């Protein structure tokens, strides 16, 4: 190899690197332009009040179009047309391979198996493959903000009111759905084997895995419409709570099913030991992740805000960055420990919203919320446009009409076995029954979305997994477009009351775009469901109010008054100086747990419509609700000066009041006293 | 291969994939924790008013520590200890290799060359190599927000006042520095060859490339301190402007030098044709990137805000997301077209700040600014902690004491050849001379940072490039720690006046953490330098005010009044309805170009200190400045109601006024009329 050769070779390598860099830029650019296009169209839709297509559905359509163009429209642009050299080994594929070129060693990493008929267009497919990028990105980068935002923006009042039902649907329901779908699909697979439609292995565990993957619902489209129409708040809470929790359940279920690997030759038949191992793994992973999320959330509150120098609020940028990093590190820490990051980050989000959020400066509160909103929005739309793209650019699709048809049937049956029996059981215990039309709506709102996709794309190595991936993709498309688009007709067909839509044309900006922000306070019987879990509530509430809040935030009574005398020194050390100032009456931001009015007003402040809309309806009644008549509203719209006891009492008082008095109660104090 | 084998193999692959996923999480977690640690320490430093160590320096120190731990502290944790199998080929390394395992084909991609003595610990080094990730990430993900933020937060007033000097330093100065350093280093290389210290090829072009890489200054540490101390505003503008522009120049210079590849056997000697080709490439890339950035910036303003339905401001989330995506796509588009994304995104930022920013809703303006602030902050600290980490975890360091020593000398000489002769030449034309102490300070502030590092890490394939990378890393460490830390003593030693530090202890939050936000209005002779480029200014200003602003924003006179009569229909079509409303007097947000007071107030509003601090000093004088006495301040703190002619006149009036009257002029109208 003389100097000239080496120079030319360097040049060639440089050119190739440049070409590859350009290709990378083009790929990223494709996605960015897709997102831009989506945003511009959503904006148009919002402006025209088009409700039949949500932005996620739109993102998928654009993704599909671009996928078609990439696949069929662009001539193969490979820069050198030779088939890459190959070498033979007897061993199975290894992750790292060394290449010896005249004494120099080069390292190669495994990219994946390719079909023998595709060897000659490896280079041609390079672009398509590059667009189809690493599933790790979905898990480590795109999912955390989406899940965290779900936890962070969860409306605590309705969530906690319906906690029992939500947990039932999410845990029991998802497990039922998973097993029903798994078994039905096993039947389909057997049928396919019988008629010779199956060309490779497909085990029972694969079917169960599919059941777990496809049981993760994601009714983001439906919820956006609910939010806009101010549909029944309990329905909203049930659906949102269920979808948030069942993502967590589905991901842990799927890992447990993967862990259900019977050892020895006797593979893939039922094995009691392995089954119980799976159940153990499920419980272990779930509780571990839950604990990790909660602990990190509490830890953030504790570490950053019990420091002797709590001037962090002077640096909102630092605060925001810290908050962001801590939340993300929860996810990664859980993944690194073998737990499930999604579950951890979800509970971290809930904890952060409850404790840390209160400690942030007003500026940071807004910043943080907006930052996560933007991240959530971008990540979600990115995933959905990627899904559209993947249908055409992904290389290893296995389309099997029977399997797909079977899967569509199975998910309906699975969803029905989840909703109807559990609703019946729940109604036995609930004071405020889940009515038939609500059940039908929950059945209808079982869309599949980002989580199902992310779980399915995670492993597409085997034939069975590839078939599942393709099927999942089609199910997501179908449910988002058809069910998402049919939400508004379905609501009116089922006679589900939607709130009074405030006269939006009076305001310059009719819609707020904070998808999961608005609370939807309308709908009757808001508080009727409270009693069912009140005993659990009171216990937790007292503990939280007396011990956790004072320790982790600057609100609540000082620990010195709530802890027994023997813990005096510890209590003094853990109580922040500010807590003493507000000793009597105890200031209380907690009412959100029970009453959550402050929270509501905050979200009203954001959307800036509903409050006005409601204020014209029941004024006198509203004013009479401001118990005591004193100005109760602090500058940032939070309720201050009411004790938790008052809050509880008022809660009991207003239990049977309908929404309008509630709506005005929120608004009038501002108008009266400001 | 029977079923059992295949099952076991699948299991092994799954385990390996899981292990790899966990490893990925740990790596990301390492960086996140590093950043968290940095933030916590910065917070402490801010609180204690420690100024000798900037957050970037701190991030590097933590990075170094973690690098040492990763390198030496952790026992090799590889999960299988065998040397990977190797196969031989006669051809050179190819990017894609096929592996034939009993009829199945697997695809492998090139990772890089490894030394023959490291073959056996390929797996052991896996973790270290994974931590050292793809330089593409720096270029496509981390640099854009940093550069965009620089352009977006550029203070137009001082920048444009010193535009001539800044361009001279950035273009001519960087070119001088590059050639001086390149030639000096070529001498060093020759010396090393003579004494046998050089084991591989090192061409003249490599030396020039090093000159280009190391000429990109990044005085972020210095500027943060200037900002905090309110040092001379012209010095700030000169340094900031130079560093922003010379990043762009350095990156284009380095690409041109790479393009200077003489063809044929006669490699790496001087070739006039290739030289002129390089110059052509330089000019082409720079002007192309500049045009692309400006066009995209203008395009964003035009497309999104001349639409017939300009209700985008009702959806701040959409606005922010769109703004973010458009800015990023500029970068990627430029890279995809073979231009330089950094230059494009820089000018895109400047254009966006000038036009698009005015069209955003108030909410979006804040959101966008904060989003880019957080992104910039995270990206910058990430790069600096990565630098610290890379010193120990990067596999191919080439430490050459002579080269390093030579490089340190060369960068000082190069910087001196840039600053002193050019300052002398500039002083011949400038009315407000660049004094000696300012020149010394500029000399001193020639730190190297993120851009030099990103350029150096981009290509570490050859021996020469590896040596450059190591040297660059050490230069960055040294300059950031020593020069960054020595800024405050240097300022006082050079008798550079720093502004009155407002009595910070009176406020609860003394410091604002918006590093490049505060304007630093203090310092005398603010406006004296204006005349030098006034003629160019007036031309541009008139054009901008009469044609561009009305077309791209809702401010300025309607086009129908400024365009000649023949263009009537076009003018009517391009003018937004709002423009007619403000026909007389012409509302004007442009004064920022010349006076920039509105801008100043905005930034004062952000920091919320200086305005108060200054308002106590010269009240009477201040009030007299509010020409006309009418309330001039719109709700969002922007100046409205003054015509551009007024602005120009006032500018000439106040040319010799010192800072205090300027400071109060900004504050009093609010206090008087609100």
């Amino acid at each position: 190899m003389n100097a000239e050769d080496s120079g030319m070779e360097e040049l060639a390598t440089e050119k190739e690197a440049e070409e590859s860099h350009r290709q990378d830029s083009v790929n990223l650019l494709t996605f960015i332009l897709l997102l831009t296009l989506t945003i511009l169209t959503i904006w148009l839709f919002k402006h025209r009040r088009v409700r039949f297509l949500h932005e996620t559905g739109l993102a998928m359509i654009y993704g599909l179009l671009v996928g078609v163009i990439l696949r069929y429209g662009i001539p193969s642009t490979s820069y050198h047309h030779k088939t890459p050299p190959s070498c033979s080994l007897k061993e199975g594929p290894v992750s790292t391979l060394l290449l010896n070129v005249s004494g120099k060693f080069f390292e190669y990493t495994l990219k994946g198996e390719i079909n023998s008929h595709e060897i000659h267009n490896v280079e041609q497919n390079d672009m398509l493959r590059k667009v189809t990028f690493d599933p790790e990105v979905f898990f480590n980068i795109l999912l955390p903000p989406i899940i965290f935002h779900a936890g962070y923006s969860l409306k605590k009042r309705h969530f906690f009111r319906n906690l029992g039902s939500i947990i039932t649907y999410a845990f029991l329901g998802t497990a039922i759905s998973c097993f029903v779908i798994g078994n039905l699909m096993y039947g389909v697979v057997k049928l396919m084997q019988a008629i010779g439609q199956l060309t490779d292995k497909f085990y029972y565990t694969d079917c169960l895995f599919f059941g777990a993957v496809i049981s993760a619902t994601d009714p983001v489209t439906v919820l956006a419409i609910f939010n806009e129409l101010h549909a029944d708040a309990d329905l909203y809470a049930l659906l949102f709570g269920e979808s948030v929790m069942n993502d967590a359940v589905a991901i842990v279920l799927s890992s447990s099913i993967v862990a259900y690997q019977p050892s020895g030759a006797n593979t893939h038949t039922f094995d009691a030991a392995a089954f119980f191992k799976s159940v153990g793994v499920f419980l272990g992973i779930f509780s571990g992740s839950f604990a990790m999320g909660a602990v990190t959330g509490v830890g953030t509150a504790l570490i950053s805000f019990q420091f002797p120098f709590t001037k962090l609020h002077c640096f909102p940028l630092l605060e925001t960055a810290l908050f962001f990093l801590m939340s993300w590190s929860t996810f990664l820490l859980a993944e690194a420990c073998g737990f499930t990051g999604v579950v951890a980050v979800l509970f971290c989000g809930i904890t952060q919203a409850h404790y840390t959020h209160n400690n942030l400066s007003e500026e940071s509160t807004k910043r943080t919320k907006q930052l996560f909103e933007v991240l959530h929005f971008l990540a979600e739309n990115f995933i959905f446009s990627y899904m559209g793209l993947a249908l055409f650019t992904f290389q290893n699709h296995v389309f099997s009409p029977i399997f797909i048809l079977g899967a569509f049937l199975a998910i309906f049956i699975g969803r029905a076995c989840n909703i109807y029996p559990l609703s019946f059981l729940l109604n036995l215990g609930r004071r405020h029954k889940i009515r038939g039309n609500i059940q039908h709506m929950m059945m209808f709102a079982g869309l599949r979305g980002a989580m199902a996709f992310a779980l399915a794309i995670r492993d597409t190595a085997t034939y069975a997994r590839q078939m599942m991936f393709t099927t999942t993709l089609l199910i997501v498309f179908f449910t988002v477009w058809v069910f998402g688009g049919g939400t508004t007709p379905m609501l009116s067909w089922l006679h589900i009351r939607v709130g009074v839509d405030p006269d939006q044309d009076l305001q310059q900006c009719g819609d707020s775009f904070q998808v999961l922000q608005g609370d939807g306070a309308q709908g009757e019987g808001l508080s009727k469901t409270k009693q069912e879990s009140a005993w659990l509530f009171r216990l937790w509430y007292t503990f939280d109010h007396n011990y956790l809040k004072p320790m982790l935030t600057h609100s609540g009574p000082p620990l010195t008054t709530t802890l027994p005398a023997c813990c005096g020194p510890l209590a003094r050390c853990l109580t922040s100086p500010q807590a003493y100032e507000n000793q009597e009456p105890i200031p209380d931001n907690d009412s959100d747990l029970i009453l959550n009015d402050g929270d509501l007003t905050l979200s009203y402040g954001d959307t800036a419509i509903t409050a006005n809309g409601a204020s014209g309806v029941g004024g006198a009644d509203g004013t009479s609700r401001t118990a005591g008549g004193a100005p109760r509203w602090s500058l940032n719209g939070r309720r201050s000066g009411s004790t938790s006891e008052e809050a509880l009492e008022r809660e009991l008082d207003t239990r049977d009041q309908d929404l309008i008095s509630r709506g005005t109660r929120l608004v009038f104090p501002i108008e009266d006293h400001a």
Side-chain angles (χ1 to χ4, degrees), chain A:
Chain A
M1 213 187 274
N2 60 26
E4 188 179 337
D5 271 3
S6 134
M8 292 306 285
E9 194 183 282
E10 264 172 37
L11 201 64
T13 321
E14 233 151 46
K15 281 259 170 347
E16 204 166 290
E18 203 175 283
E19 190 60 45
S20 150
H21 173 72
R22 193 173 296 184
Q23 189 63 55
D24 282 347
S25 310
V26 171
N27 292 338
L28 257 176
L29 188 62
T30 309
F31 285 108
I32 305 264
L33 289 183
L34 263 176
L35 286 180
T36 312
L37 204 62
T38 309
I39 290 176
L40 285 176
T41 324
I42 300 168
W43 165 37
L44 188 65
F45 277 21
K46 291 258 156 198
H47 186 73
R48 297 269 157 98
R49 307 204 184 293
V50 176
R51 284 210 184 100
F52 66 88
L53 192 55
H54 187 246
E55 67 232 39
T56 49
L58 204 69
M60 286 201 301
I61 292 179
Y62 284 130
L64 268 181
L65 292 179
V66 173
V68 171
I69 294 170
L70 285 183
R71 181 75 183 241
Y72 303 109
I74 293 178
S76 92
T77 52
S78 82
Y79 32 95
H80 48 85
H81 280 272
K82 57 183 181 189
T83 306
S86 76
C87 70
S88 299
L89 270 188
K90 279 188 189 134
E91 304 171 61
V94 286
S95 58
T96 306
L97 184 72
L98 293 180
L99 179 68
N100 183 346
V101 182
S102 34
K104 279 187 174 182
F105 282 91
F106 296 91
E107 196 183 350
Y108 284 80
T109 39
L110 181 63
K111 228 176 180 177
E113 190 180 344
I114 48 171
N115 296 334
S116 48
H117 60 268
E118 273 183 357
I119 289 177
H120 300 289
N121 38 349
V122 164
E123 292 288 333
Q124 281 88 332
N125 288 331
D126 213 39
M127 202 252 279
L128 290 184
R129 201 148 9 73
K130 269 198 163 177
V131 162
T132 318
F133 56 86
D134 194 358
E136 291 287 286
V137 173
F138 285 101
F139 263 83
N140 284 342
I141 315 279
L142 295 174
L143 268 190
I146 296 182
I147 304 289
F148 182 84
H149 185 259
Y152 199 59
S153 68
L154 190 125
K155 290 289 149 213
K156 281 172 282 171
R157 180 177 50 160
H158 292 113
F159 179 75
F160 281 107
R161 289 237 174 103
N162 293 293
L163 193 61
S165 311
I166 288 170
I167 286 179
T168 312
Y169 286 125
F171 280 79
L172 207 55
T174 307
I176 291 174
S177 163
C178 166
F179 281 97
V180 168
I181 294 175
N183 285 307
L184 286 174
M185 290 322 291
Y186 193 59
V188 172
V189 165
K190 281 280 167 224
L191 178 76
M192 286 168 72
Q193 266 171 347
I195 60 172
Q197 288 280 311
L198 205 65
T199 58
D200 210 334
K201 285 162 284 189
F202 210 120
Y203 299 112
Y204 182 63
T205 45
D206 289 330
C207 293
L208 280 184
F209 181 81
F210 180 70
V213 163
I214 211 70
S215 291
T217 61
D218 182 9
V220 59
T221 321
V222 176
L223 292 180
I225 293 169
F226 278 20
N227 192 40
E228 217 170 290
L229 297 177
H230 302 285
D232 189 282
D234 273 325
L235 175 57
Y236 186 97
L238 282 176
L239 272 177
F240 182 62
E242 187 214 345
S243 73
V244 161
M245 300 283 280
N246 83 359
D247 280 359
V249 175
I251 195 171
V252 181
L253 257 183
S254 63
S255 335
S256 325
I257 289 165
V258 170
Y260 176 82
Q261 293 277 9
S263 53
N266 191 16
T267 45
H268 302 284
T269 55
F270 188 79
D271 177 345
F275 176 75
F276 284 112
K277 192 183 141 209
S278 280
V279 172
V281 167
F282 176 86
L283 293 177
I285 292 183
F286 199 93
S287 54
S289 311
F290 169 79
M292 184 162 279
V295 163
T296 332
V298 168
T300 314
L302 197 63
I303 292 172
S304 342
F305 307 100
Q306 275 289 335
F307 262 47
F309 31 80
T310 43
K311 272 202 180 177
L312 191 60
H313 64 278
C314 301
F315 315 110
L317 177 60
L318 287 188
E319 254 186 328
T320 312
L322 192 65
F323 192 81
F324 172 74
L325 291 176
M326 292 294 274
S327 310
W328 199 14
S329 66
T330 305
F331 180 89
L332 294 170
L333 193 64
E335 289 287 324
C337 295
F339 292 124
T340 304
V342 168
V343 181
V345 89
L346 172 67
F347 288 103
C348 175
I350 297 176
T351 321
Q352 301 267 46
H354 193 54
Y355 298 114
T356 318
H357 197 74
N358 288 335
N359 288 330
L360 293 178
S361 64
E362 211 188 326
E363 160 104 32
S364 283
T365 312
K366 261 193 101 174
R367 260 178 195 251
T368 316
K369 223 187 73 191
Q370 291 173 350
L371 179 70
F372 277 104
E373 231 172 73
V374 172
L375 288 180
H376 153 88
F377 177 79
L378 290 177
E380 192 172 78
N381 282 296
F382 183 89
I383 289 190
F384 277 90
S385 41
Y386 182 84
M387 278 189 226
L389 207 65
L391 191 62
F392 285 96
T393 59
F394 187 72
Q395 303 279 305
N396 300 314
H397 277 303
V398 178
F399 286 96
S400 157
I402 301 178
F403 191 82
I404 292 167
L405 221 75
F408 269 95
L409 254 173
I411 61 163
F412 290 114
I413 299 173
R415 182 84 188 154
C417 294
N418 171 357
I419 299 297
Y420 296 117
L422 290 183
S423 301
F424 175 77
L425 288 177
L426 285 170
N427 276 341
L428 296 180
R430 277 176 78 105
R431 179 173 298 197
H432 174 62
K433 310 292 181 203
I434 301 169
R435 274 165 295 143
N437 57 351
I438 300 281
Q439 293 179 26
H440 299 320
M441 195 66 220
M442 287 187 72
M443 172 76 202
F444 184 80
L447 312 192
R448 268 65 175 180
M451 181 51 91
F453 174 77
L455 283 174
I457 206 179
R458 203 171 193 181
D459 181 0
T460 54
T462 66
Y463 173 80
R465 293 287 165 91
Q466 288 166 6
M467 195 186 278
M468 284 181 216
F469 175 67
T470 309
T471 310
T472 306
L473 211 50
L474 291 174
I475 289 176
V476 172
F477 287 157
F478 183 79
T479 54
V480 168
W481 285 332
V482 175
F483 293 174
T487 307
T488 322
M490 200 63 180
L491 275 175
S492 63
W493 194 67
L494 289 173
H495 303 291
I496 292 177
R497 276 184 56 183
V498 293
V500 194
D501 207 27
D503 192 0
Q504 299 186 332
D505 291 348
L506 284 180
Q507 281 91 12
Q508 233 200 323
C509 295
D511 296 303
S512 93
F513 190 63
Q514 286 139 326
V515 178
L516 298 174
Q517 289 300 320
D519 197 287
Q522 283 78 355
E524 55 182 14
L526 269 192
S527 45
K528 283 181 191 154
T529 58
K530 205 220 110 215
Q531 285 304 301
E532 65 184 282
S533 46
W535 64 271
L536 193 74
F537 242 24
R538 257 159 235 265
L539 207 75
W540 160 251
Y541 181 76
T542 315
F543 177 71
D544 181 55
H545 178 265
N546 285 345
Y547 305 110
L548 290 181
K549 282 244 166 176
M551 216 151 78
L552 302 171
T553 71
H554 297 313
S555 62
L559 280 175
T560 37
T561 62
T562 55
L563 277 179
C566 59
C567 311
L570 182 72
R572 261 190 299 282
C573 147
L574 284 174
T575 304
S576 88
Q578 274 132 296
Y580 290 107
E581 295 164 19
N582 353 316
Q583 201 159 353
E584 201 67 49
I586 300 155
D588 184 75
N589 290 328
D590 291 343
S591 47
D592 48 344
L593 241 183
I594 306 265
L595 261 177
N596 207 3
D597 291 358
D599 209 10
L600 244 168
T601 315
L602 271 177
S603 69
Y604 272 58
D606 289 338
T607 56
I609 345 157
T610 331
N612 293 333
S615 66
V617 189
D621 187 39
T623 352
S624 74
R625 293 270 139 234
T626 59
R632 288 179 167 282
W633 299 86
S634 62
L635 203 69
N636 58 4
R638 289 232 185 88
R639 175 183 293 262
S640 59
S642 70
T643 65
S644 60
E645 289 72 22
E646 263 184 73
L648 270 170
E649 276 162 29
R650 250 180 303 116
E651 173 56 31
L652 295 171
D653 278 355
T654 58
R655 208 171 57 232
D656 297 319
Q657 297 292 336
D658 71 341
L659 102 115
I660 294 169
S661 71
R662 177 171 289 269
T664 47
R665 202 177 80 221
L666 298 170
V667 175
F668 264 70
I670 299 173
E671 296 186 354
D672 282 349
H673 307 290

